[in-house]
Amino acid sequence: MKYQSRMIAMASMAAFALAGFSPAALALDVEAAKDLAEQNNCKQCHGIKKDKDGPSFLKTAEKYRGKANAEDEIVKHLTSGKKVKLADGSEENHKIVKTMPPNDMAQIKNLAQYILSTQP
Amino acid sequence: MTQSDPGRLGWWARLKRPSAKHSVLALAAVGFVGGIVFWGAFNTGMEATNTLQFCVSCHEMRDTVYQEYQYTIHYSNRTGVRAICSDCHVPKDWTHKLIRKIKASGEVWGKITGSIDTKEKFEAKRLELAQHEWERMKARDSIECRNCHSFEAMSPELQKKTPYKKHMEAKAAGKSCIDCHQGIAHKLPKGYKKPGTDDEEE
């Protein structure tokens, strides 16, 4: 019991520490973000550091580094399906991210944070 | 898990004890065979085995894959054509159906032994179960998918450009749906990476 509550205290301290690095209030769950990207085939068009049809996640992170509205912009991008240009010049609507249950903003925000946290 | 479940521990302990072995094992065997017969009776007698209700009558299926499936396009979509469990998991022709059924006796066994009777056990075994299905589908060129879909019926005008291009390349290269479409009806196993999404991290 004592051990358990100490673990909880430590975990929440770690969570606070993590949150301190990013402007967001919640701690980033990297594994959940990766799994969501995998399930949605995002990596078909985005490398972590490599451009494919779309920009690498690193490039996006750098584009938004230090911008206050970064997370909202990414969330909007992932939920609106606006037209984007592919490498071969053709256009198509950007993939709208699917979650289980549908439109779970917590999961989508977590994915946005994960993308924005990409480091060189 | 087993430790905190005295009922099951007792069951196993008794099973392992030589003196009691015969009767309990015999009992298990009867249950096992009974389960197969039960499964078989449903399957041949009527097509009831293939209904969603039958598959989710076990909590092992209902509390896990079924929950996720309900959020996917094969459960609910614009045109109202639903693919149910058996459409993807039970072959339509007799011989392969029989093979699947005999393999399904592993599910009855799994039910008896509680192989995935908790969320934790399910997660731990999920990759293995998924791999069985991937192999099974791959071996028959994703026939279950192709009962409803085909490369030929894909419209270059109506399908998005990227998938269309991929599909025509895949057709030429002799690839199968399941090579690329994993995790369409359920979540992927945690931490699983699809083949071909070349990944430069780590």
Side-chain angles (χ1 to χ4, degrees):
Chain A
M1 270 300 114
K2 210 164 140 204
Y3 172 73
Q4 222 170 36
S5 50
R6 201 177 317 141
M7 282 305 285
I8 291 169
M10 263 159 66
S12 42
M13 260 150 67
F16 275 121
L18 264 176
F21 281 112
S22 75
L26 286 168
L28 172 62
D29 184 343
V30 173
E31 294 312 315
K34 282 187 182 169
D35 285 347
L36 187 61
E38 198 69 44
Q39 185 98 31
N40 276 274
N41 275 336
C42 309
K43 299 224 298 272
Q44 174 209 327
C45 297
H46 300 281
I48 308 292
K49 294 179 187 167
K50 199 166 78 188
D51 294 339
K52 296 185 186 171
D53 263 318
S56 70
F57 286 164
L58 179 61
K59 203 174 252 177
T60 301
E62 288 186 335
K63 173 176 157 192
Y64 286 102
R65 194 91 72 208
K67 297 209 171 91
N69 63 344
E71 190 182 310
D72 292 342
E73 287 293 320
I74 301 298
V75 168
K76 201 164 84 199
H77 176 79
L78 295 180
T79 49
S80 60
K82 69 163 187 168
K83 272 234 161 23
V84 295
K85 229 194 189 86
L86 302 180
D88 67 0
S90 64
E91 286 198 332
E92 83 181 28
N93 293 329
H94 192 269
K95 172 119 184 160
I96 292 179
V97 64
K98 284 192 196 136
T99 58
M100 299 176 189
N103 308 318
D104 181 349
M105 287 317 281
Q107 286 185 47
I108 299 172
K109 282 185 178 160
N110 186 57
L111 177 57
Q113 278 183 37
Y114 164 70
I115 293 169
L116 291 168
S117 73
T118 312
Q119 297 294 339
Chain B
M1 264 294 117
T2 337
Q3 305 296 352
S4 60
D5 189 344
R8 169 145 325 109
L9 195 68
W11 194 86
W12 275 116
R14 254 177 289 142
L15 187 66
K16 284 190 207 126
R17 230 188 10 240
S19 60
K21 199 161 90 188
H22 282 305
S23 56
V24 177
L25 261 189
L27 212 79
V30 169
F32 182 54
V33 172
I36 299 172
V37 171
F38 161 77
W39 184 291
F42 259 106
N43 200 350
T44 37
M46 48 201 125
E47 287 294 289
T49 327
N50 294 350
T51 65
L52 235 170
Q53 282 73 15
F54 172 73
C55 299
V56 301
S57 65
C58 283
H59 75 92
E60 282 90 342
M61 303 284 107
R62 187 175 60 242
D63 299 344
T64 54
V65 282
Y66 175 57
Q67 298 305 323
E68 300 162 0
Y69 155 73
Q70 284 177 293
Y71 298 128
T72 70
I73 194 158
H74 285 103
Y75 183 78
S76 166
N77 56 58
R78 188 174 56 91
T79 46
V81 181
R82 178 176 288 175
I84 61 170
C85 318
S86 47
D87 289 329
C88 291
H89 290 295
V90 183
K92 288 222 186 309
D93 59 304
W94 228 87
T95 36
H96 289 93
K97 194 180 232 165
L98 200 70
I99 294 169
R100 169 68 175 93
K101 207 161 67 188
I102 290 164
K103 285 211 180 131
S105 58
E107 290 181 50
V108 176
W109 182 246
K111 176 80 184 172
I112 295 173
T113 55
S115 65
I116 54 167
D117 63 357
T118 65
K119 206 169 167 3
E120 291 73 25
K121 283 195 203 167
F122 174 74
E123 286 301 340
K125 205 169 182 189
R126 183 164 207 168
L127 180 60
E128 188 189 326
L129 302 178
Q131 256 151 1
H132 293 156
E133 277 309 289
W134 291 327
E135 275 160 27
R136 190 185 62 77
M137 289 182 184
K138 175 82 183 150
R140 299 191 67 215
D141 191 15
S142 314
I143 179 110
E144 279 86 22
C145 315
R146 291 187 295 106
N147 283 335
C148 293
H149 298 267
S150 73
F151 286 136
E152 290 72 26
M154 290 175 183
S155 153
E157 283 83 33
L158 296 179
Q159 192 165 77
K160 280 188 178 178
K161 290 210 181 64
T162 306
Y164 188 74
K165 203 173 74 191
K166 294 257 182 206
H167 288 143
M168 294 309 112
E169 286 165 12
K171 187 181 166 194
K175 283 203 182 156
S176 184
C177 318
I178 203 67
D179 288 332
C180 301
H181 292 288
Q182 302 181 328
I184 45 153
H186 321 289
K187 278 193 183 165
L188 287 168
K190 279 198 167 62
Y192 177 73
K193 297 231 165 13
K194 293 186 194 178
T197 45
D198 67 310
D199 202 351
E200 68 283 43
E201 56 182 332
E202 265 110 49

